[in-house]
Amino acid sequence: MAICSPLFLDKCSLTVPVAREDWDVTTENLVHARHRNSSLKPVFISSSTRRKIYEFSWKFYIDGVEGKVACLLQVYPLYTPNAPYMRLEWNPSKSAPSAINEIFNFLAIHIPNLANYWRDARLSRIDIAIDVHRISMDELLTCTKSSRTTSRILRQNEGRKNGLYLGARSSNYQLCIYDKIFERRKKSRAAFTRGSDRMKYIPISKIRIEFRFKDLGFIRDISSFENQLLRYIISLTSLAYNFSQTIIWKNFIERCEEVGAQEALREISCRKKRAQYRKILSLRCTPNWYNPRVLWGMALERMHNTFRL
């Protein structure tokens, strides 16, 4: 039986606007702070691998669950000179509960009127994640409620799935499912259970299900954020096979295993049939550990705790 971890926020970023009359002073203060002490460390982005979006990128350290963790600070956007703002990025799951206060107090020293600007801070990215144990990538069927969403499957050399992406990287909504153990390049341990006539080999896995959302809105309006998890349907292959024994349904599930549920649904030309299959996957084949409404409620609570000063 699969075991699901508590929901957590894996990464977040905020954009904080700064008035033009304070912008030069803010940038100058931060540059001087970089030279006066070592609390701000420069972050260099290779132009060959990633486009430079901000003139200055620094990192400073805040208290974490285990030691110190980095917080990225980027200022002076190069492509939006008429809308000056700064960007902050850190990992709430690794940070201490007081992380947001540390960040605010650090910036308040260098930025005039920060309290006024903070009210207009926007949640430019949030990664909401759960870890599911005792399950493999091949046991999951994942799709969205829109046939226009793109999908991409990553496979190991032997053909087994080790990653799935729903939605483009540039999109505001993306679902990433991947084998966390494979990603870390660690050898998974194994548990053995004795069967009726032979030993069964059960690999211990860790599947990360990560919802990546961009530009959800102002952090002051977290309570009114719409439930973005309702976009996604996560089903189990075993439940799908048990739903019906007809050849047509079996062929559809086999096609889902081959190219993914999103692409298998896209291949169905009849819109009514496509909607019917999507509804069956959503209502009859969903595991008990995936409830979008319950998980979104947990996510809003985590966001409130993370961004409350």
Side-chain angles (χ1 to χ4, degrees):
M1 179 181 294
I3 299 176
C4 182
S5 72
L7 180 142
F8 59 94
L9 306 181
D10 194 42
K11 181 165 62 172
C12 71
S13 66
L14 300 179
T15 53
V16 183
V18 179
R20 185 169 299 279
E21 57 269 21
D22 292 334
W23 185 242
D24 292 336
V25 175
T26 296
T27 305
E28 185 177 354
N29 287 350
L30 290 171
V31 172
H32 288 171
R34 159 72 188 116
H35 293 289
R36 283 197 305 268
N37 55 64
S38 59
S39 59
L40 278 176
K41 299 182 181 298
V43 176
F44 299 100
I45 299 177
S46 173
S47 58
S48 61
T49 59
R50 192 174 179 182
R51 185 178 64 171
K52 185 177 180 181
I53 301 177
Y54 296 87
E55 180 66 30
F56 301 104
S57 294
W58 300 294
K59 64 180 178 180
F60 58 96
Y61 291 90
I62 56 179
D63 289 336
V65 179
E66 298 179 0
K68 295 287 187 178
V69 295
C71 176
L72 178 65
L73 169 63
Q74 296 175 305
V75 298
Y76 213 99
L78 299 177
Y79 297 95
T80 55
N82 295 325
Y85 61 89
M86 60 182 176
R87 179 177 180 272
L88 296 158
E89 179 182 298
W90 74 97
N91 190 329
S93 65
K94 296 181 180 179
S95 306
S98 60
I100 191 67
N101 292 288
E102 283 190 72
I103 294 171
F104 182 87
N105 293 336
F106 176 83
L107 295 176
I109 299 174
H110 310 290
I111 303 175
N113 305 317
L114 177 64
N116 295 332
Y117 304 137
W118 197 264
R119 291 198 296 266
D120 293 326
R122 293 186 67 89
L123 186 57
S124 54
R125 173 168 173 172
I126 189 73
D127 291 0
I128 301 169
I130 57 175
D131 288 332
V132 185
H133 303 264
R134 298 182 183 177
I135 200 171
S136 69
M137 286 289 304
D138 296 319
E139 297 177 65
L140 297 176
L141 300 177
T142 311
C143 61
T144 69
K145 294 186 177 181
S146 171
S147 299
R148 297 181 179 180
T149 305
T150 60
S151 65
R152 184 164 59 100
I153 296 178
L154 304 181
R155 297 184 183 273
Q156 303 177 23
N157 294 333
E158 60 270 23
R160 292 186 57 190
K161 296 178 186 176
N162 70 314
L164 168 70
Y165 293 85
L166 284 179
R169 187 173 183 179
S170 58
S171 171
N172 283 354
Y173 313 98
Q174 187 183 45
L175 170 60
C176 306
I177 303 178
Y178 54 95
D179 189 332
K180 191 65 177 177
I181 293 180
F182 180 85
E183 184 209 30
R184 294 179 176 179
R185 297 182 179 179
K186 290 183 178 180
K187 294 182 178 179
S188 62
R189 295 175 297 170
F192 292 90
T193 58
R194 184 172 297 278
S196 57
D197 55 353
R198 62 188 179 90
M199 296 291 288
K200 295 181 179 180
Y201 180 80
I202 306 175
I204 296 178
S205 62
K206 183 179 180 180
I207 302 301
R208 168 88 33 104
I209 300 177
E210 190 170 282
F211 304 90
R212 299 174 180 176
F213 301 129
K214 297 179 183 177
D215 198 23
L216 288 183
F218 297 106
I219 59 174
R220 65 172 184 261
D221 298 330
I222 287 176
S223 299
S224 60
F225 285 173
E226 293 185 8
N227 190 342
Q228 304 298 335
L229 301 185
L230 294 175
R231 297 172 177 271
Y232 302 101
I233 299 171
I234 298 178
S235 307
L236 291 182
T237 306
S238 57
L239 296 178
Y241 272 119
N242 292 335
F243 172 75
S244 175
Q245 302 299 321
T246 61
I247 297 299
I248 296 177
W249 178 257
K250 183 179 178 181
N251 290 340
F252 168 68
I253 299 303
E254 289 177 351
R255 187 61 178 163
C256 288
E257 291 183 298
E258 182 180 351
V259 300
Q262 183 71 11
E263 289 300 320
L265 287 166
R266 194 199 301 270
E267 293 173 355
I268 300 175
S269 58
C270 178
R271 182 180 299 179
K272 185 176 180 180
K273 183 178 180 180
R274 187 168 61 235
Q276 179 185 7
Y277 279 16
R278 186 178 280 114
K279 186 176 181 180
I280 292 173
L281 290 175
S282 175
L283 298 180
R284 304 296 296 273
C285 307
T286 302
N288 56 11
W289 45 262
Y290 179 67
N291 186 322
R293 289 178 173 80
V294 173
L295 291 175
W296 187 251
M298 295 179 180
L300 292 181
E301 182 182 357
R302 302 289 192 280
M303 283 188 264
H304 272 297
N305 295 335
T306 298
F307 304 120
R308 181 187 296 124
L309 284 173

